[in-house]
Amino acid sequence: MDLFLSLRSGTPKRAQVERQLRDAIRGGRLKGGSRLPPSRTLASDLGVSRGVVVEAYAQLAAEGYVVAGPRSGTFVSDRPAISPVPQSHVPQPVPARVRYEMRSGAPDPASFPRAAWISAATEGLRTMPDGDLLGPHTWGLARLRLSLADYLGRSRAAAAAPERIVVTPGLASGLAAVLGVLRERGASRVAVEDPSWPHHARAVRLSGLEPVAAAVDEFGLIVSRLDRRNVDAVITTPAHQFPTGVVLSAERRAQLIDWATKRSALIIEDDYDAEFRYDRHPVAALQGMAAEHVIYAGTTSKILSPVLRFGWLLLPTALAEAVADRVHASGAWPSVIDQATLTVLIERGQLERHLRAMRRRYRQRRDALAAALTRRLDVEITGIAAGLHLVVRPRADIDLSAVARQARERGIALDTLHERCWASARCRPAMLLGYGALSERVIPRVVGGLAALPAAAAMRR
């Protein structure tokens, strides 16, 4: 390995070598397991005797920074004796390693269709016109927008047309573009469901608009209160409210469309996981009921993987060009090659086959988690009909923050409902337990681990 050290006159050479190596290990420049140069090589590079380097290595080994073998060489220790955080910095707690991913909304990374993706990427590149590799693609790849329009019209009953679709690098950036355009056009207040995905309210604030809490009950967003809020738009999750899991009722859907039409307001429909439903018929997208008043937002975060950074907006005609320009100007649009790959997946029907397979798999995991919870804990379970998580409320009065903290210390990552209540203190205590990333085999073990937590004693069966 090449290693940069700089020696100066006036200070013992061995001390300088020791200090610089020690600082490099502490600061993370030399990682655990890295092999140091042979003493003879480093001595030659530095212009010092080999004994200087040998003694420096020996001192660092005594301090636990390096380990040495008679023939294997000298390596940076995987467990240095002193923290790698510089002493001038305030030490930060080291998070426990996540062994069991139960955070709400996490899909199964092991189920990503790798072979299909690789095949589709090859086909997409092979059939891509040379000009597509130059762009510009302000709205996204034309062939992908055509495929998405067909897919959304078929699967979500959306009023979809390619000229209404803008491809984005995920929901967050798409939402930022929409809110920015609304602000430019005079909007000032946006209603956000409470509880909700934390980024909804945060995105509104970052866009210079005021987020206004909109309460949710067992029928979804309480539409009758929107008039009192004097808002220009509302962000909602009607197919499967996040995080409560309720579906916006037919009556409320009609009320919401009527409100938007009469006030010339906008509905931003976050359709984040509508593909995963188990015990009910699919709920059509609101956008299909009022295309000029609804902005539909979808992503691949749940259906494929959040690391793809892929999303799309289905927009009213009056907003489409301005939003497309804003997304493109950000420079954060998805790779054209990835767009071509997704196009092939949709055209071949592989995306929908993958979704059908995942629906079956997730339903089995949901059933296994619900059964294990019922056996081990005295809890009420809701939000079970769709999505990737359950809402689990203990019947006893316990500190769920302590339960979540102890679970995380033991490698079980989970969310609580109060973390999603951004404006109201009225959220009933609940855990949000995801099952997407857990195999059926480990679910009983994980639930047993939750039941064994000291803070969970009052809800054990």
Side-chain angles (χ1 to χ4, degrees):
M1 102 186 299
D2 290 328
L3 182 62
F4 177 79
L5 300 178
S6 177
L7 303 184
R8 298 177 180 178
S9 60
T11 304
K13 300 295 190 293
R14 193 193 80 175
Q16 291 188 60
V17 173
E18 286 177 18
R19 178 179 55 77
Q20 292 186 47
L21 287 172
R22 191 182 292 114
D23 289 348
I25 295 169
R26 280 178 167 176
R29 191 157 57 92
L30 287 175
K31 307 295 185 186
S34 299
R35 182 172 182 164
L36 297 180
S39 56
R40 195 180 305 278
T41 301
L42 184 56
S44 176
D45 290 345
L46 296 175
V48 299
S49 70
R50 180 173 175 243
V52 168
V53 178
V54 170
E55 291 178 8
Y57 281 5
Q59 179 60 34
L60 292 171
E63 295 175 10
Y65 286 100
V66 302
V67 292
R71 291 187 177 86
S72 58
T74 303
F75 296 83
V76 177
S77 173
D78 286 324
R79 298 175 180 270
I82 300 177
S83 169
V85 179
Q87 295 303 307
S88 60
H89 293 179
V90 177
Q92 299 295 318
V94 177
R97 182 173 67 90
V98 175
R99 298 179 61 207
Y100 303 110
E101 180 57 81
M102 296 191 81
R103 281 172 286 202
S104 51
D108 182 10
S111 295
F112 184 85
R114 300 181 192 221
W117 183 266
I118 291 169
S119 173
T122 302
E123 174 70 10
L125 271 173
R126 188 182 64 79
T127 58
M128 181 186 291
D130 292 344
D132 282 353
L133 289 169
L134 291 175
H137 303 286
T138 305
W139 298 62
L141 201 62
R143 185 177 164 195
L144 173 59
R145 291 188 290 118
L146 188 65
S147 295
L148 282 171
D150 179 63
Y151 169 71
L152 294 172
R154 186 176 64 254
S155 67
R156 302 296 297 120
E163 60 270 19
R164 290 178 176 270
I165 293 175
V166 176
V167 179
T168 72
L171 177 64
S173 61
L175 185 56
V178 166
L179 293 169
V181 170
L182 294 188
R183 183 172 181 270
E184 286 177 351
R185 299 189 177 192
S188 59
R189 290 159 58 86
V190 177
V192 180
E193 291 176 333
D194 186 22
S196 63
W197 183 44
H199 186 76
H200 285 163
R202 186 164 61 245
V204 173
R205 289 193 192 96
L206 289 174
S207 298
L209 300 167
E210 179 187 354
V212 178
V216 172
D217 64 14
E218 67 271 25
F219 302 108
L221 176 71
I222 304 177
V223 180
S224 60
R225 298 182 186 177
L226 290 180
D227 277 328
R228 290 179 249 159
R229 300 294 192 267
N230 191 29
V231 296
D232 304 290
V234 58
I235 303 174
T236 180
T237 50
H240 184 233
Q241 203 280 329
F242 184 85
T244 65
V246 300
V247 178
L248 190 65
S249 69
E251 181 181 359
R252 296 271 178 90
R253 289 161 70 87
Q255 288 176 0
L256 186 57
I257 296 297
D258 185 59
W259 168 83
T261 303
K262 287 179 177 178
R263 289 187 56 91
S264 296
L266 284 165
I267 302 164
I268 301 172
E269 178 180 14
D270 180 358
D271 203 39
Y272 69 102
D273 72 351
E275 291 86 357
F276 299 121
R277 68 268 177 186
Y278 313 114
D279 301 323
R280 60 169 170 79
H281 294 298
V283 179
L286 275 176
Q287 191 272 348
M289 300 172 64
E292 296 303 325
H293 289 281
V294 180
I295 298 168
Y296 175 96
T299 79
T300 58
S301 292
K302 304 295 183 289
I303 61 177
L304 288 171
S305 168
V307 301
L308 281 179
R309 310 310 307 153
F310 230 126
W312 46 86
L313 298 170
L314 185 52
L315 294 146
T317 306
L319 290 175
E321 186 171 359
V323 172
D325 287 343
R326 197 172 256 269
V327 171
H328 189 71
S330 72
W333 29 274
S335 157
V336 170
I337 294 173
D338 284 347
Q339 292 186 50
T341 303
L342 183 60
T343 302
V344 174
L345 280 181
I346 295 172
E347 290 176 349
R348 287 177 172 177
Q350 288 175 309
L351 181 66
E352 288 169 273
R353 286 196 292 275
H354 172 71
L355 284 172
R356 286 194 293 272
M358 295 312 299
R359 233 176 259 135
R360 291 191 295 271
R361 188 168 303 169
Y362 288 149
R363 178 172 186 159
Q364 291 166 351
R365 293 178 182 183
R366 179 208 64 172
D367 292 347
L369 179 57
L373 289 167
T374 301
R375 284 194 303 270
R376 300 298 300 271
L377 299 172
D378 186 18
V379 293
E380 173 192 358
I381 302 173
T382 59
I384 198 168
L388 296 175
H389 75 272
L390 304 177
V391 181
V392 181
R393 293 185 171 91
R395 300 185 196 279
D397 183 16
I398 66 172
D399 183 357
L400 284 184
S401 293
V403 171
R405 184 179 64 254
Q406 291 176 8
R408 290 164 188 156
E409 289 169 356
R410 290 158 177 77
I412 304 173
L414 56 84
D415 295 324
T416 60
L417 184 59
H418 74 268
E419 295 171 321
R420 302 293 183 259
C421 288
W422 61 275
S424 169
R426 295 191 302 273
C427 281
R428 289 175 56 198
M431 295 179 289
L432 307 178
L433 300 185
Y435 48 82
L438 292 179
S439 70
E440 290 176 67
R441 178 177 55 82
V442 305
I443 283 174
R445 185 191 317 158
V446 178
V447 173
L450 289 176
L453 297 174
M459 63 175 175
R460 293 179 199 143
R461 284 199 179 277

